[in-house]
């Protein structure tokens, strides 16, 4: 599914490690790296190619160059929806407020169109395994969060199965409650991000 215009690039993190020779290496730092790790525009330090510490032992060879991982994260301007792509999987995270009323597992008016869009991407990727996981913030009891997050995951799962109508897809549906927060629960902005339902599936083509 081609990202719709409502998406605006909020964060794109790409980590690529490519070993091309013994004497050169490149590294990229994300915008949120600690101060002092920024890439410098200054010329690199000169390297003595005759230094014995830089030489391979007799018979040794360099490992084959390979891409370790590529990850990009796209979030819409409101922060209500986030898409994370790696070279092996796709994950959509929808904030609970977009899908449900407060402390409810009943889907709202806008929810079905959002979930239908995710279903189209599942179809495009020819995915046969789909995970639907619910999460909450840390307010209220842990037991209540576990139950609510599972009910919300089930509600999203029901729309996906209805839309895709494909018996060849296996679903894993879980409610994790307040486990695995992605933001700081000490602020309302952080808690809002943690109240979410994630739909993930392998990237298989399409």
């Amino acid at each position: 599914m081609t990202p719709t215009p409502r998406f605006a690039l909020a964060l794109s993190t790409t980590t690529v490690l490519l070993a091309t020779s013994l004497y050169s290496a490149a590294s990229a730092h994300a915008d949120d790296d600690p101060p002092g790790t920024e890439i410098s525009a200054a010329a690199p330090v000169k390297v003595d190619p005759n230094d014995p510490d830089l030489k391979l032992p007799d018979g040794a060879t360099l490992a084959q160059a390979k891409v370790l991982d590529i990850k990009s994260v796209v979030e819409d301007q409101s922060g209500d929806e986030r898409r994370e792509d790696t070279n092996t999987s796709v994950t959509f995270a929808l904030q609970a407020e977009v899908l449900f009323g407060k402390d409810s597992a009943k889907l709202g008016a806008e929810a079905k169109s959002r979930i239908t869009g995710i279903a189209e991407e599942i179809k495009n990727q020819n995915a046969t395994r789909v995970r639907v996981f619910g999460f909450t913030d840390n307010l209220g009891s842990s037991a209540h969060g576990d139950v609510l997050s599972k009910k919300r995951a089930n509600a999203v799962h029901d729309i996906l199965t209805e839309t895709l109508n494909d018996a060849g897809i296996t679903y894993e549906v879980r409610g994790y409650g307040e486990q695995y927060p992605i933001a700081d629960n000490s602020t309302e902005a952080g808690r809002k991000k943690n109240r979410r339902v994630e739909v993930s599936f392998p990237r298989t083509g399409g």
Side-chain angles (χ1 to χ4, degrees):
M1 180 180 70
T2 302
T4 58
R6 73 170 181 271
F7 281 94
L9 182 63
L11 177 63
S12 179
T13 305
T14 304
T15 307
V16 179
L17 181 60
L18 181 62
T20 55
S21 71
L22 179 61
Y23 308 113
S24 67
S27 61
H29 297 283
D31 292 338
D32 59 352
D33 279 353
T37 61
E38 299 88 350
I39 297 176
S40 171
V45 176
K46 291 184 178 180
V47 177
D48 179 6
N50 297 315
D51 189 322
D53 292 332
L54 297 179
K55 294 184 178 181
L56 289 172
D58 290 342
T61 59
L62 290 174
Q64 183 178 1
K66 71 176 181 178
V67 175
L68 295 182
D69 191 25
I70 297 176
K71 178 188 288 188
S72 71
V73 178
V74 178
E75 191 172 84
D76 67 357
Q77 289 180 331
S78 65
D80 292 341
E81 184 172 335
R82 189 182 80 253
R83 172 175 175 154
E84 179 179 307
D85 287 85
T86 71
N87 49 351
T88 59
S89 66
V90 180
T91 299
F92 286 91
L94 296 174
Q95 288 190 359
E97 281 81 351
V98 178
L99 303 177
F100 309 98
K102 184 177 180 181
D103 202 32
S104 170
K106 184 177 180 180
L107 290 167
E110 187 183 349
K112 188 167 184 179
S113 63
R114 296 256 187 172
I115 299 169
T116 299
I118 296 175
E120 285 299 315
E121 182 65 13
I122 293 171
K123 187 184 299 183
N124 290 342
Q125 293 294 336
N126 299 315
T128 57
R129 292 184 296 108
V130 177
R131 293 179 172 181
V132 186
F133 295 163
F135 305 87
T136 65
D137 58 30
N138 65 348
L139 298 181
S141 71
S142 176
H144 176 70
D146 291 345
V147 172
L148 180 61
S149 62
K150 179 63 182 299
K151 286 182 177 179
R152 286 175 167 176
N154 282 332
V156 172
H157 163 261
D158 290 346
I159 298 297
L160 287 174
T161 55
E162 175 186 316
T163 304
L164 291 167
N165 191 27
D166 186 345
I169 298 177
T170 300
Y171 294 87
E172 181 181 355
V173 184
R174 295 185 181 180
Y176 284 104
E178 64 188 54
Q179 298 183 68
Y180 310 111
I182 58 173
D184 186 356
N185 269 315
S186 67
T187 68
E188 176 54 28
R191 290 191 293 270
K192 184 178 179 181
K193 285 182 175 293
N194 292 332
R195 298 189 293 264
R196 68 198 190 279
V197 175
E198 293 186 356
V199 180
S200 61
F201 43 91
R203 176 182 297 283
T204 55

